[in-house]
């Protein structure tokens, strides 16, 4: 019996390669296709979170059809003060049939793309067609990723940026204005009163704005945290809105924006609409009230986008 040749080493997709080969629109399409072809977010294994001396070690595995994969990420809250990334990690993609490793992807670029692309998919399913004004909370990579992703699904003309540090806001506004040609300006939380879209991309532990100000047609995406004690939106926003989630089980475990309302009974678990139901047409949102998409980030999303990036590279 002749020995078989060893499989080739995994390809490496660094951040620049991933961002170049997989435009936001393609990432949105990959997530939409996954939901429409049988992906079951409720079956995703829970995220494994291991506390370590300086933060957390996160493990997120998934498998489906052609691929299996796992993301290993770290969260180090003290890193930014030292000029280092708060979140770091890698994604290892495997062939589902042989379990041979295929690619090693930059985990943070992958997370940035898939998180923003998922918000854009939700916005495409929820937001009014002519949504032009985006109020963007945050000035980091996720904020920029959301600006790019939401532009891919709605005709944005105006962006209001809200952040805690004026210098960071000024730098973000200047760069975004130069890159996009949109009317981008700094603003205050009260700007949500005139918003078509609101994207919350922060590490906030307290609500960012007064939900009573939201116009009935607004769509809010909140993606900043998977921690039970963190909140970007208040109870008013939750109670006023049609609430959409990736998975009811994941939301009940990790969505700090929703857990207080769930535990108090002010939000019934069955009232949360799974995103897959919108993507497949099995559910629709009430056009007469705000829409809130709360994302905690799930392994099936990483796998769908990693597979698409591997095929495109």
């Amino acid at each position: 019996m002749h020995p078989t040749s060893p499989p080739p080493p995994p390809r490496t997709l660094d951040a620049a390669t991933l961002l170049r080969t997989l435009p936001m629109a393609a990432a949105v399409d990959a997530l939409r296709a996954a939901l429409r072809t049988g992906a079951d977010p409720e079956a995703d294994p829970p995220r494994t979170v291991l506390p370590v001396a300086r933060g957390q070690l996160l493990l997120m595995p998934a498998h489906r059809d052609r691929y299996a994969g796992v993301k290993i990420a770290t969260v180090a809250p003290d890193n930014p003060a030292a000029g280092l990334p708060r979140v770091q990690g890698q994604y290892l993609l495997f062939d589902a049939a042989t379990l041979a490793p295929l690619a090693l992807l930059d985990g943070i670029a992958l997370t940035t793309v898939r998180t923003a692309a998922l918000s854009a998919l939700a916005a495409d399913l929820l937001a009014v067609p002519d949504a032009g004004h985006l109020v963007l909370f945050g000035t980091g990579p996720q904020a920029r990723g959301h600006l790019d992703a939401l532009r891919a699904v709605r005709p944005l003309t105006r962006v209001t940026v809200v952040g805690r540090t004026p210098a960071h806001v000024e730098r973000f506004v200047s760069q975004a204005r130069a890159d996009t040609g949109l009317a981008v300006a700094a603003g205050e939380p009260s700007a949500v009163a005139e918003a078509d879209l609101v994207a919350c991309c922060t590490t906030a532990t307290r609500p960012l704005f007064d939900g009573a100000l939201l116009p009935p047609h607004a769509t809010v995406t909140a993606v900043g945290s998977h921690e039970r004690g963190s909140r970007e939106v208040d109870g008013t926003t939750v109670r006023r809105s049609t609430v959409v989630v990736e998975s009811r089980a994941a939301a009940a475990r990790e969505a700090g924006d929703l857990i207080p309302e769930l535990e108090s009974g002010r939000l019934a678990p069955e009232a949360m609409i799974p995103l897959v139901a919108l993507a497949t047409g099995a559910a629709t949102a009430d056009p007469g009230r705000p829409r809130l998409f709360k994302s905690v980030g799930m392994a099936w999303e990483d796998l769908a986008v990693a597979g698409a990036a591997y095929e495109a590279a």
Side-chain angles (χ1 to χ4, degrees):
M1 185 175 180
H2 297 290
T4 58
S5 300
R11 293 161 58 187
T12 299
L13 276 66
D14 60 17
T17 302
L18 193 154
L19 295 172
R20 183 179 66 252
T21 59
L22 193 68
M24 278 294 182
V28 173
D29 288 343
L31 292 165
R32 192 193 312 267
L35 291 177
R36 288 182 172 175
T37 58
D40 181 9
E42 296 293 349
D44 242 25
R47 183 193 333 261
T48 298
V49 181
L50 176 67
V52 294
R54 296 293 183 179
Q56 296 176 330
L57 179 65
L58 311 179
L59 185 69
M60 298 176 66
H63 68 92
R64 182 171 183 261
D65 298 339
R66 297 179 59 187
Y67 302 113
V70 60
K71 182 167 72 178
I72 301 176
T74 59
V75 181
D78 295 338
N79 272 11
L84 299 171
R86 178 177 178 270
V87 181
Q88 301 169 90
Q90 297 289 329
Y91 192 90
L92 185 56
L93 183 71
F94 299 88
D95 175 72
T98 65
L99 296 183
L102 298 175
L104 183 67
L105 297 88
D106 184 282
I108 304 316
L110 176 67
T111 301
T112 298
V113 171
R114 67 88 153 133
T115 303
L118 190 73
S119 290
L121 174 57
D124 197 32
L125 296 167
L126 293 169
V128 293
D130 60 348
H133 182 201
L134 167 66
V135 176
L136 183 60
F137 287 88
T139 57
Q142 276 298 345
R144 183 50 199 264
H146 275 70
L147 173 55
D148 294 337
L150 293 169
R151 287 181 68 212
V153 298
R154 285 300 183 269
L156 298 184
T157 58
R158 176 186 172 199
V159 182
T160 301
V161 181
V162 185
R164 294 178 299 180
T165 306
H168 293 173
V169 173
E170 182 179 354
R171 183 165 57 247
F172 185 99
V173 166
S174 177
Q175 190 66 57
R177 188 185 293 144
D179 291 345
T180 67
L182 298 177
V184 185
E188 297 297 326
S190 59
V192 299
E194 299 177 350
D196 302 312
L197 289 166
V198 178
C200 303
C201 311
T202 75
T203 57
T205 57
R206 296 182 179 180
L208 298 168
F209 60 88
D210 179 358
L213 297 175
L214 285 171
H217 74 278
T219 293
V220 179
T221 62
V223 305
S225 174
H226 59 266
E227 301 284 349
R228 293 178 63 92
S230 296
R231 299 198 70 169
E232 293 183 294
V233 302
D234 59 11
T236 300
T237 299
V238 176
R239 294 188 294 273
R240 286 189 62 205
S241 300
T242 296
V243 177
V244 178
V245 296
E246 297 142 296
S247 152
R248 288 170 174 164
R253 285 194 306 268
E254 300 180 334
D257 294 286
L258 305 180
I259 288 171
E261 305 304 312
L262 289 167
E263 292 182 342
S264 69
R266 292 187 292 265
L267 175 65
E270 61 272 17
M272 298 187 294
I273 299 176
L275 186 63
V276 64
L278 291 176
T280 58
T284 57
D286 181 352
R289 58 196 297 215
R291 277 77 82 190
L292 168 64
F293 175 59
K294 171 55 189 173
S295 169
V296 297
M298 299 186 70
W300 70 268
E301 303 154 13
D302 292 318
L303 184 66
V305 174
Y310 172 74
E311 293 168 11

